[in-house]
Amino acid sequence: MEIKWLKTFIIAASYENFRQASEDLFLTQPAVSKHIQRLQQELGDELFEKKGKYIALTEAGRFFCLMLKKW
C-alpha cells in the first residue's frame, strides 16, 4: 500500500468526485482511478460505487475513511 494511494483516497472521498480530486492532486483522472483501483485490490474491497456520473463511498469506504481519521 502506498501513501499516494491513501492521499488520493482521502481527497476523492472528501469530494466524492474523481475529477475534482485529480485537479486538487495535479494528476490525471485516469491516474486517480488507478490509485483507487490499486488500493481496492490491496484491501480486497470496493471503496466507491458509481452512480451514473457520480461516485459515493460504499460502507467499506466509509469505514476505511473513519479508520484513516483515527490513524
Side-chain angles (χ1 to χ4, degrees), residues 17-42:
N17 186 298
F18 287 175
R19 184 193 53 78
Q20 284 182 286
S22 71
E23 289 176 7
D24 223 35
L25 294 164
F26 301 102
L27 296 170
T28 64
Q29 190 170 338
V32 168
S33 295
K34 188 58 102 176
H35 286 189
I36 298 301
Q37 287 172 355
R38 289 182 175 158
L39 182 60
Q40 290 178 144
Q41 287 173 346
E42 184 88 12

Side-chain angles (χ1 to χ4, degrees), residues 2-71:
E2 295 191 26
I3 295 295
K4 64 184 176 184
W5 301 347
L6 297 175
K7 184 176 180 181
T8 300
F9 170 75
I10 291 166
I11 300 297
S14 69
Y15 288 125
E16 289 194 339
N17 186 298
F18 287 175
R19 184 193 53 78
Q20 284 182 286
S22 71
E23 289 176 7
D24 223 35
L25 294 164
F26 301 102
L27 296 170
T28 64
Q29 190 170 338
V32 168
S33 295
K34 188 58 102 176
H35 286 189
I36 298 301
Q37 287 172 355
R38 289 182 175 158
L39 182 60
Q40 290 178 144
Q41 287 173 346
E42 184 88 12
L43 295 171
D45 215 340
E46 293 292 317
L47 301 173
F48 292 97
E49 62 182 330
K50 291 185 181 186
K51 295 184 174 186
K53 291 184 177 181
Y54 304 99
I55 59 168
L57 286 167
T58 62
E59 188 67 34
R62 285 191 291 280
F63 179 76
F64 188 62
C65 203
L66 286 173
M67 292 296 98
L68 287 176
K69 287 179 182 181
K70 290 182 180 185
W71 182 50

